[in-house]
């Protein structure tokens, strides 16, 4: 019972973040371009799809393994391509990016 509730809450978290990729795509595209992500517009849409799919699978329990794999792929790629804190000079931005990096790995 607790496991189901936690999976649903985690699924809602990822689903809302995936929807955010579509609703605020312009802001996220600018952010991705600042981080030198190739094909940022396409990558924002693909990551939104992965996040929504992963969130829905966690909420529903259907195709759970595929959803978890999709989320892991997204989090791995986002961590090393977007949240590259090790190459930043501004201490405040470095700290924020390192927190996002750690959050993705957690």
């Amino acid at each position: 019972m607790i496991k189901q509730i936690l999976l649903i809450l985690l699924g809602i978290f990822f689903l809302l973040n995936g929807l955010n990729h579509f609703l605020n795509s312009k802001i996220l595209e600018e952010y991705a371009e600042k981080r030198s992500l190739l094909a940022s517009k396409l990558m924002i849409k693909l990551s939104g799809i992965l996040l929504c799919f992963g969130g829905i699978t966690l909420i529903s329990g259907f195709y759970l393994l595929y959803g978890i794999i999709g989320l892991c792929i997204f989090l791995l790629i986002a961590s090393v391509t977007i949240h590259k804190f090790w190459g930043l000079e501004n201490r405040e931005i470095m700290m924020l990016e390192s927190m996002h990096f750690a959050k993705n790995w957690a």
Side-chain angles (χ1 to χ4, degrees):
M1 175 80 165
I2 298 288
K3 178 183 171 185
Q4 292 292 63
I5 293 170
L6 293 175
L7 281 174
I8 290 169
L9 289 174
L10 188 61
I12 290 170
F13 172 79
F14 283 116
L15 180 59
L16 291 176
N17 279 297
L19 293 175
N20 184 50
H21 276 66
F22 296 111
L23 297 175
N24 296 313
S25 60
K26 196 68 169 166
I27 295 167
L28 291 171
E29 287 168 20
E30 291 173 7
Y31 181 72
E33 286 174 7
K34 286 181 185 176
R35 298 288 181 250
S36 303
L37 185 68
L38 297 174
S40 60
K41 191 172 192 171
L42 175 65
M43 291 301 174
I44 295 299
K45 301 295 184 206
L46 286 175
S47 62
I49 291 169
L50 280 174
L51 285 168
C52 287
F53 176 72
I56 290 170
T57 62
L58 289 175
I59 293 168
S60 68
F62 294 112
Y63 300 107
L64 190 58
L65 182 61
Y66 296 115
I68 292 171
I69 290 170
L71 289 171
C72 288
I73 290 169
F74 163 75
L75 292 170
L76 175 70
I77 292 171
S79 294
V80 297
T81 59
I82 297 294
H83 303 301
K84 300 183 279 190
F85 65 93
W86 54 87
L88 299 173
E89 306 231 351
N90 185 324
R91 298 287 292 167
E92 291 177 10
I93 296 174
M94 179 191 285
M95 192 165 83
L96 286 172
E97 292 300 329
S98 67
M99 287 190 311
H100 288 301
F101 185 88
K103 173 191 53 115
N104 284 356
W105 283 92

